[in-house]
Amino acid sequence: MTENTPGGSAASEGAPEKGPETASKKTPEHSGVDLARVALRAAKEQARARGDAAQQKKQARRGGLRSGARADGRDPMALGAAINRLLTERGWETPAAVGGVMGRWPQIVGEDLAKHCVPQKYDEDERVLTVQCDSTAWATQLRLLARQVVARLNQDLGHGTVRLIKVQGPHGPARRFGPLRAPGSTGPGDTYG
């Protein structure tokens, strides 16, 4: 298993070591645009709550809740709006965006590379995309193109969403031992050096 970074080295340089207190923390700290989104979301929710409370007081003075021709908070939501609201409330925008990119993988990396290299998973905490290739030649090709692929993904998803592409080569068949085996042998691999 080999890792490629946009800077060209496999290890993250200058990265703080994870202690027991940071390893147990699963939520990433917000900064920049993410912090602004969180603040905007909180302000909208507070404004909505103040408006709902004022509307309920007004309706209580008129004789209780009434159904009418105008939309209110009790009306059903459209499915798309409900899903977008759920993604926003739970903070799932980045994983959902990465999932969309995995669906558009052939358009991002090209048809030839997409036939032989398939994205497997995305680690949100480490910001690492794991890609499985069907041959070592295609794994090498993807390692050479890692910097451009990371730049293209970050162009679609936002800066810093994908920090690293971890390229995995093909998995060989399981080694099976026959009924006659020499003691201390590691199987067929011990004859190859």
Side-chain angles (χ1 to χ4, degrees):
M1 181 173 10
T2 303
E3 299 178 6
N4 285 344
T5 61
S9 67
S12 59
E13 298 170 353
E17 291 186 19
K18 290 188 177 181
E21 59 275 354
T22 58
S24 64
K25 196 171 25 171
K26 285 291 185 185
T27 54
E29 294 186 23
H30 298 288
S31 64
V33 176
D34 293 332
L35 188 59
R37 284 183 186 147
V38 170
L40 179 63
R41 187 181 319 133
K44 284 182 177 181
E45 289 297 324
Q46 289 174 353
R48 188 177 299 124
R50 284 193 304 267
D52 290 344
Q55 185 178 8
Q56 287 177 355
K57 283 183 185 178
K58 185 177 175 182
Q59 288 177 347
R61 278 187 240 131
R62 284 191 289 173
L65 294 174
R66 295 183 182 157
S67 179
R70 297 178 193 236
D72 62 4
R74 300 174 295 152
D75 289 342
M77 295 178 74
L79 181 62
I83 290 174
N84 288 337
R85 182 175 174 187
L86 179 67
L87 291 174
T88 303
E89 287 175 353
R90 302 285 171 107
W92 293 341
E93 291 102 348
T94 301
V98 170
V101 165
M102 287 184 179
R104 294 181 293 128
W105 184 251
Q107 290 85 17
I108 293 172
V109 298
E111 293 292 329
D112 291 337
L113 194 61
K115 288 178 187 174
H116 301 283
C117 302
V118 179
Q120 295 293 315
K121 65 179 179 175
Y122 174 71
D123 183 7
E124 186 176 2
D125 296 334
E126 299 292 326
R127 300 182 189 271
V128 174
L129 179 66
T130 304
V131 179
Q132 176 79 41
C133 297
D134 63 0
S135 72
T136 55
W138 284 105
T140 302
Q141 181 69 20
L142 184 59
R143 285 185 191 105
L144 293 172
L145 295 173
R147 181 177 284 168
Q148 289 90 353
V149 173
V150 167
R152 177 74 169 97
L153 289 170
N154 286 330
Q155 181 183 0
D156 280 359
L157 300 172
H159 181 69
T161 304
V162 177
R163 186 180 57 81
L164 178 81
I165 291 183
K166 188 184 292 186
V167 179
Q168 295 179 341
H171 294 296
R175 294 192 177 190
R176 299 204 166 103
F177 300 112
L180 301 176
R181 193 176 106 184
S185 171
T186 58
D190 67 348
T191 61
Y192 301 122

